[in-house]
Amino acid sequence: MNRLFFTLTLLVITSNLSASAIELKEGLVIRSSATIIAKTYYLNAAANLKNPLIIVDGKDIELDFSYAVLQGSNNISGPDEMYGLALYIKKGSSNITIKNAIIRGFKIAIMGEDVLNINIINCNLSYNYRQHLKSNLIREDISDWMSYHKNENDEWLRYGAGIYLKNCRGPVIKNNVVTNGQCGLMLVCCQNAEITDNNFSFNSGIGIGLYRSSFNNIVHNRLDYNVRGYSFGKYKRGQDSAGLLLFEQCNSNLIAFNSATHSGDGFFLWAGQSTMDTGEGGSNENFVFGNDFSYAPTNGIEITFSKNLIMQNTIKDCDHGLWGGYSYDTDITDNVFANNRIGIAIEHGQNINIALNKFTGEKTGIKLWSREKQPEDWIYAKKRNTESRNYWIAANQFSHVGTAFDIMGTDTVVLSGNAKLATNEILKLGERVSNMDTSTEGEILDMDYQPDARLKKITYHEAPLSDIPRGKNEMRITEWGPYNFEYPILWLQNTDSMGIKHFEILGKAGNWAINKIKGFELLAQGGNSFPSGISLKTDSSVTERILELVYDGPPHIKQLGDSSAKTSDTFSYHEFDPAIEWKINWYQWDAAHHPANGYLPFTEIFQNNPFLSKTSKTVDFTWWGAIEKNLPADSFATVAETHVLLKEN
């Protein structure tokens, strides 16, 4: 094997002898094939994305970076301040190959627009832009929610990306790595892409995202741990992060043999705002086959307002295995669901086939329902029939499931040949159910099917396996995104009823020792290798508390991408907990005192008695509906006051 590798290396070098060897510099325009002289280039791009650092312009160009490192944003302190576009393939270019590049420290690493046959191969575009998250271990901050509803003017660029392609035909994206950023690969109005064998994992937003992009093959990629908005045992929001995102008129894509585990949604598909506004179109005829979408805090698969084929996927330990609101003409066949709260949940679905699936350990296997009235502002509901109707549910297996079928508000459901083992409740019927047919439920069905012909055009794989820990308890969301198991970290696992804090001490290799303790009493600790743990009792008389450990082990890449020396590398936990009591008053306002009418009319409401008053140690209200039963859902103001000594002299 070593001899084969050496031969291949010689061939690559020989093929590039005719290409010119160049150094990177600001404003460089490349119009012919070239090899980049291998070294680290510290180059800052323009603050905006309209003036790229480097431009590729022309046809039949191969650019081999030879693993040179292009480092941008050299004058900033955090990933949320990273700026600029590193490499831009200019409009009208064709047959462009970018390979062996290492680009980091930019808002966008590589961008191509109106390019025919762009190939991005074996590049590492990790440690580029990502937001500074405000959600923490104990509470969610709703400002962390992402939104993809509009991208007609490249609004998605605000989230950054390793690769951003627009109006490109036939791109090949292969063997690339984009980790520890916010978004990996984003395709806008692209067609006929081949996206294979990439690793777009451990990002705080999206692994692969599509917008108005169709007829693409996304096969055998690692898209794990693309997640935010989650704290194990505290909250599970996801905040619209996803391993795979298909948003707004994305049709006839093949999504096969990918691992998109531990992501906000494993697979997130939506018809698009144009469908909601017109009732037309959708994200339709996508074939989702043989993927692993397990361990999503929210939905393993979300498919809404569209028709698609979902087959032979694995979806374990999610809130919903599959959420299919307003799906129609959709087949859900031969998938494995296990230990989800609800295996398949569909509201207002129509003409749905659910067959040959296995459900194990679900609280509810299949839940179908509708509401009596649609939202008044939904044009979709005015243009389309949104009844819940016409389900064929056949030859599924239920084992150790709480309720196999929970159905309400639905017309015409046929249950046929479904097997149940150790299932507490077979069929739960709510109101407004009609034409329920269980006449063939006791039969044994001999069923088979032929997978979509699109599979014949690709190599058969299994979803890629890796040695990353599996399970929702392994998702630890730091202020910069998901922990990637590559560097030492001190993680507060929980605070028990006695007020004792229990920490995990995690790292890839090496040893640790206590360097500093302030405001804590050490109660117990594990061994000095990784993983380990430590338990501390809080000294309530101290407002600032610190636990600092020192790492001794092999070099590694730290959280923000910088390299660590072997010794004297510290990592810590810090909390500032002053004794605060907030006095909180709520005031209600009406149309005459609407804040939009000006500051003075609005402040008149504070001359009245508060609608509700209370004291609290924190001001961290997050709510859907009303904060509590004594408050309205909206049109109120909150005034919180306290006195605190921030620093002792």
Side-chain angles (χ1 to χ4, degrees):
M1 181 173 289
N2 290 337
R3 180 177 297 173
L4 174 62
F5 177 78
F6 182 70
T7 303
L8 289 172
T9 303
L10 284 178
L11 287 173
V12 171
I13 294 173
T14 302
S15 68
N16 283 299
L17 288 176
S18 60
S20 59
I22 62 174
E23 291 194 346
L24 299 178
K25 61 182 180 179
E26 182 181 352
L28 178 65
V29 179
I30 300 172
R31 293 190 170 91
S32 60
S33 295
T35 299
I36 306 302
I37 295 173
K39 66 177 186 178
T40 299
Y41 298 86
Y42 296 96
L43 298 172
N44 294 335
N48 60 59
L49 298 176
K50 295 181 179 180
N51 300 104
L53 183 67
I54 297 166
I55 295 175
V56 177
D57 180 14
K59 299 179 180 180
D60 305 316
I61 297 173
E62 180 176 297
L63 186 59
D64 187 349
F65 270 71
S66 307
Y67 303 101
V69 178
L70 177 55
Q71 174 71 55
S73 303
N74 297 289
N75 54 348
I76 56 92
S77 59
D80 57 333
E81 299 175 6
M82 290 178 178
Y83 59 89
L85 169 56
L87 182 65
Y88 176 67
I89 297 91
K90 195 172 180 180
K91 291 182 179 181
S93 297
S94 61
N95 301 324
I96 305 297
T97 297
I98 309 295
K99 64 182 184 180
N100 304 327
I102 302 173
I103 302 175
R104 52 194 296 172
F106 294 87
K107 190 70 176 280
I108 306 289
I110 298 176
M111 182 175 181
E113 188 173 6
D114 293 301
V115 179
L116 177 65
N117 298 334
I118 180 174
N119 305 296
I120 302 176
I121 300 172
N122 200 37
C123 295
N124 191 324
L125 311 174
S126 303
Y127 296 100
N128 287 289
Y129 176 87
R130 47 184 157 160
Q131 290 174 296
H132 194 176
L133 301 177
K134 297 178 182 177
S135 301
N136 59 32
L137 179 67
I138 60 174
R139 61 180 176 269
E140 178 192 13
D141 191 307
I142 60 175
S143 69
D144 288 339
W145 276 81
M146 301 177 73
S147 174
Y148 312 97
H149 286 74
K150 187 176 181 181
N151 194 40
E152 301 307 311
N153 297 306
D154 294 310
E155 287 86 352
W156 284 12
L157 288 174
R158 68 188 185 275
Y159 295 133
I163 304 170
Y164 189 96
L165 301 182
K166 182 179 180 181
N167 295 324
C168 292
R169 300 295 181 268
V172 174
I173 312 298
K174 187 173 183 179
N175 291 329
N176 301 286
V177 177
V178 184
T179 68
N180 299 281
Q182 185 151 330
C183 298
L185 167 66
M186 308 302 271
L187 300 181
V188 181
C189 301
C190 293
Q191 293 185 5
N192 303 115
E194 296 291 335
I195 304 168
T196 59
D197 296 303
N198 302 282
N199 181 6
F200 301 146
S201 302
F202 293 103
N203 298 294
S204 66
I206 300 296
I208 298 175
L210 277 64
Y211 188 90
R212 295 187 181 274
S213 294
S214 301
F215 304 103
N216 302 291
N217 291 339
I218 302 175
V219 180
H220 204 248
N221 300 282
R222 283 187 56 191
L223 309 168
D224 304 304
Y225 282 90
N226 293 292
V227 62
R228 60 168 61 193
Y230 179 75
S231 179
F232 182 69
K234 307 295 193 307
Y235 58 88
K236 48 182 181 179
R237 305 296 298 167
Q239 297 172 337
D240 280 351
S241 57
L244 272 157
L245 172 71
L246 273 65
F247 211 80
E248 182 73 53
Q249 315 304 310
C250 296
N251 301 302
S252 300
N253 296 288
L254 173 63
I255 313 293
F257 311 119
N258 302 284
S259 177
T261 66
H262 304 86
S263 296
D265 279 351
F267 178 77
F268 178 12
L269 175 147
W270 188 54
Q273 192 61 48
S274 59
T275 295
M276 302 305 295
D277 292 342
T278 65
E280 302 296 329
S283 289
N284 299 319
E285 306 295 348
N286 297 287
F287 183 29
V288 183
F289 184 92
N291 306 280
D292 189 348
F293 297 125
S294 300
Y295 310 110
T298 51
N299 307 311
I301 296 175
E302 179 173 341
I303 47 173
T304 55
F305 301 93
S306 303
K307 57 179 179 179
N308 293 283
L309 175 58
I310 311 298
M311 186 178 290
Q312 286 195 21
N313 302 284
T314 299
I315 309 105
K316 298 181 179 180
D317 198 13
C318 304
D319 187 48
H320 298 98
L322 182 149
W323 176 278
Y326 295 83
S327 291
Y328 59 93
D329 298 342
T330 289
D331 287 346
I332 304 168
T333 305
D334 200 13
N335 303 282
V336 174
F337 297 90
N339 302 317
N340 306 289
R341 185 173 65 87
I342 301 177
I344 296 176
I346 305 176
E347 58 172 336
H348 296 273
Q350 296 184 350
N351 307 319
I352 309 290
N353 297 326
I354 303 174
L356 294 167
N357 302 285
K358 294 181 180 179
F359 299 87
T360 305
E362 262 74 18
K363 292 184 178 180
T364 300
I366 299 174
K367 181 178 177 64
L368 313 175
W369 78 102
S370 70
R371 47 187 160 186
E372 294 187 81
K373 188 177 180 181
Q374 297 295 301
E376 292 292 336
D377 58 345
W378 275 22
I379 297 176
Y380 182 92
K382 296 176 181 179
K383 297 282 189 178
R384 301 283 289 268
N385 187 308
T386 58
E387 295 175 356
S388 178
R389 65 184 187 186
N390 300 339
Y391 285 87
W392 183 61
I393 304 175
N396 300 284
Q397 298 179 25
F398 298 85
S399 177
H400 297 86
V401 172
T403 300
F405 309 105
D406 183 353
I407 302 172
M408 62 87 65
T410 300
D411 176 41
T412 308
V413 179
V414 177
L415 302 181
S416 183
N418 297 288
K420 303 95 177 176
L421 174 66
T423 296
N424 295 336
E425 183 178 23
I426 303 300
L427 178 58
K428 179 180 178 180
L429 287 180
E431 60 182 5
R432 296 182 291 112
V433 176
S434 57
N435 298 313
M436 173 66 69
D437 184 354
T438 60
S439 60
T440 58
E441 180 67 337
E443 297 182 1
I444 298 176
L445 302 182
D446 185 12
M447 294 179 58
D448 199 2
Y449 62 91
Q450 290 295 323
D452 190 288
R454 283 174 281 184
L455 277 183
K456 297 178 181 179
K457 299 178 181 179
I458 65 170
T459 302
Y460 192 94
H461 294 277
E462 298 289 340
L465 298 176
S466 67
D467 58 355
I468 58 173
R470 295 173 67 85
K472 287 193 288 190
N473 61 310
E474 299 291 354
M475 289 188 287
R476 301 167 182 88
I477 313 301
T478 75
E479 61 184 332
W480 297 110
Y483 173 61
N484 67 358
F485 307 98
E486 294 292 329
Y487 57 88
I489 190 173
L490 183 59
W491 188 258
L492 178 57
Q493 190 173 29
N494 65 74
T495 303
D496 66 23
S497 59
M498 301 297 291
I500 298 172
K501 295 183 183 295
H502 301 278
F503 293 87
E504 297 175 290
I505 305 173
L506 304 173
K508 192 171 184 179
N511 296 291
W512 63 273
I514 296 174
N515 192 52
K516 180 180 180 180
I517 293 182
K518 176 184 177 182
F520 292 116
E521 176 187 349
L522 177 63
L523 296 182
Q525 73 175 73
N528 290 104
S529 60
F530 298 99
S532 188
I534 191 168
S535 297
L536 304 174
K537 182 179 180 181
T538 298
D539 182 351
S540 59
S541 67
V542 178
T543 59
E544 185 177 31
R545 307 182 189 104
I546 299 173
L547 172 61
E548 184 177 86
L549 307 182
V550 62
Y551 165 81
D552 181 21
H556 59 278
I557 304 299
K558 298 173 72 174
Q559 182 178 30
L560 301 185
D562 49 325
S563 298
S564 170
K566 183 176 179 179
T567 58
S568 301
D569 183 19
T570 60
F571 57 107
S572 63
Y573 171 84
H574 173 267
E575 66 180 25
F576 180 62
D577 184 25
I580 292 178
E581 183 172 84
W582 292 91
K583 180 181 179 182
I584 308 174
N585 291 323
W586 282 278
Y587 300 85
Q588 198 165 3
W589 48 266
D590 54 22
H593 297 87
H594 195 290
N597 296 336
Y599 175 75
L600 291 177
F602 178 66
T603 57
E604 289 178 359
I605 66 172
F606 302 127
Q607 299 173 15
N608 302 319
N609 292 326
F611 185 81
L612 178 67
S613 298
K614 67 184 300 184
T615 59
S616 175
K617 292 183 178 180
T618 60
V619 184
D620 57 355
F621 301 101
T622 301
W623 70 94
W624 303 98
I627 292 179
E628 56 181 69
K629 63 182 180 180
N630 294 320
L631 276 174
D634 55 23
S635 301
F636 63 86
T638 305
V639 177
E641 296 178 309
T642 193
H643 297 275
V644 60
L645 179 64
L646 296 177
K647 185 176 182 180
E648 297 180 0
N649 293 325

